[in-house]
Amino acid sequence: MDSNLLKGHLDLILLAILEGGPMYGLEISKQAQTETGGYFELRVGSLYPALHRLEQSGAVQGEFRSAPRGGAPVKYYWLTEDGIRQLARKREEFSTFSRHLQSLGSSS
């Protein structure tokens, strides 16, 4: 997959994954891979800056909690009310974009 496609839709992907409930970074990455049959591979260098950006914008909230298997605490993220609204808006924007993209060249 073209990495530019992922960059352009990373916020939508992360918000959609977090719709399922609170998760920490590695868990988010694994969920993306599992649910897409490996199509989305979220790397640390793009995952955490995006989560931080979403946290700064108020779309997600984060909190350090105990790691699932012990060890150092990990930061869990979850959607805020604003994040739920952003997710709905981004899904609609993507749907509109996709619909118009599909229409290109189909009338020739």
Side-chain angles (χ1 to χ4, degrees):
M1 176 179 70
D2 183 341
S3 64
N4 288 320
L5 286 174
L6 181 62
K7 286 180 194 173
H9 301 291
L10 186 54
D11 289 358
L12 173 58
I13 293 164
L14 294 175
L15 293 173
I17 290 170
L18 289 172
E19 186 177 34
M23 292 184 201
Y24 59 95
L26 182 58
E27 195 174 28
I28 293 168
S29 180
K30 287 180 180 178
Q31 188 79 13
Q33 279 191 305
T34 300
E35 288 190 19
T36 64
Y39 188 73
F40 291 140
E41 186 177 329
L42 304 180
R43 299 182 189 271
V44 171
S46 56
L47 174 64
Y48 288 103
L51 287 169
H52 181 72
R53 184 178 61 252
L54 289 169
E55 190 174 20
Q56 293 297 108
S57 77
V60 302
Q61 191 169 355
E63 174 182 85
F64 283 96
R65 298 180 182 172
S66 298
R69 292 182 202 64
V74 293
K75 192 166 188 179
Y76 279 79
Y77 298 90
W78 60 90
L79 289 182
T80 62
E81 289 297 320
D82 187 48
I84 293 167
R85 287 188 295 274
Q86 283 188 41
L87 175 58
R89 189 171 51 251
K90 288 182 179 298
R91 279 182 168 148
E92 181 59 34
E93 289 170 356
F94 183 80
S95 177
T96 300
F97 173 82
S98 181
R99 187 173 56 251
H100 287 287
L101 182 62
Q102 292 293 325
S103 71
L104 291 174
S106 62
S107 61
S108 328

